[in-house]
Amino acid sequence: MCEQFLSAGFRVAQFYTDYKAEQYEEESLARMNAYEEQALAQQKQQALDASEAAALKTLTQINSRKREAQANHYANMAQFGASGADINSASFQAFLKSNREREQRDSNLLRLMGREEQLTKQLEAQQAGIAQEAVQSSFRSQMKARKMRRIGKTIGLLSDINYSGLMGD
């Protein structure tokens, strides 16, 4: 009978040490999960910040191109005026029109390239958010599986105990 009590005691001690080891593993997994989530949240924020920076960069480039076009326009007007050419002539007006059209095309191209960069950064942010949600979901699933294994081990321990031998039958 003493042997059965010792055997049951060892099983309980083994169960307890397994339980504590699993608790430590869970704490470690929770910390690792928190770090990973934090890194993904930071990555997402960086991508969103980069998207905003791309939008501002685009506006700066467009404004710079407009200033350049305006400076060219004034320089052309001054040069043609100083040369004595008729500023109201059809050829001069066509020249100015082609410059305005070129400036408009350049601005549109800058907008398009900036929007592409902005969308790329927004997509990166979205992907980081999806990865963060996946990490959270995976962690919850792992914790549920661990709890179910622990319940199964408890049931197994309880079913292995020879109760009739412990009662002295």
Side-chain angles (χ1 to χ4, degrees):
M1 180 146 155
C2 182
E3 199 177 281
Q4 291 172 342
F5 278 116
L6 279 174
S7 176
F10 284 134
R11 286 186 185 146
V12 169
Q14 178 189 7
F15 176 78
Y16 178 75
T17 56
D18 286 347
Y19 174 77
K20 291 307 277 182
E22 286 177 6
Q23 276 186 325
Y24 294 137
E25 286 177 356
E26 285 178 8
E27 290 171 7
S28 175
L29 280 173
R31 278 192 302 276
M32 286 175 30
N33 181 64
Y35 293 143
E36 192 170 353
E37 279 186 51
Q38 184 179 11
L40 288 168
Q42 196 171 30
Q43 182 181 353
K44 179 180 178 180
Q45 188 58 48
Q46 287 173 343
L48 288 173
D49 291 345
S51 174
E52 289 179 30
L56 292 174
K57 177 183 166 190
T58 300
L59 287 175
T60 303
Q61 289 174 332
I62 289 170
N63 288 336
S64 176
R65 179 64 184 104
K66 285 181 180 180
R67 280 191 299 275
E68 179 186 332
Q70 188 176 23
N72 286 342
H73 175 77
Y74 291 138
N76 288 336
M77 293 288 285
Q79 188 176 23
F80 276 112
S83 70
D86 182 15
I87 294 176
N88 294 324
S89 71
S91 64
F92 183 68
Q93 291 303 317
F95 174 75
L96 292 177
K97 182 180 177 187
S98 74
N99 283 348
R100 281 192 303 270
E101 289 171 351
R102 187 178 71 233
E103 185 270 328
Q104 190 64 30
R105 279 192 311 269
D106 290 351
S107 292
N108 288 339
L109 201 62
L110 287 170
R111 265 189 209 90
L112 182 63
M113 290 186 306
R115 188 66 181 142
E116 179 184 14
E117 184 178 356
Q118 188 179 8
L119 289 173
T120 299
K121 298 302 179 187
Q122 287 174 351
L123 181 61
E124 288 175 14
Q126 185 180 24
Q127 288 171 340
I130 291 169
Q132 187 178 12
E133 290 172 11
V135 165
Q136 292 169 348
S137 176
S138 172
F139 177 73
R140 284 191 300 270
S141 295
Q142 287 176 357
M143 291 300 108
K144 285 178 185 177
R146 286 176 170 277
K147 286 178 186 175
M148 293 306 293
R149 277 195 294 277
R150 194 176 297 144
I151 291 170
K153 285 181 181 179
T154 304
I155 293 170
L157 172 69
L158 294 173
S159 70
D160 285 346
I161 295 175
N162 182 359
Y163 295 104
S164 62
L166 291 175
M167 300 300 175
D169 290 343

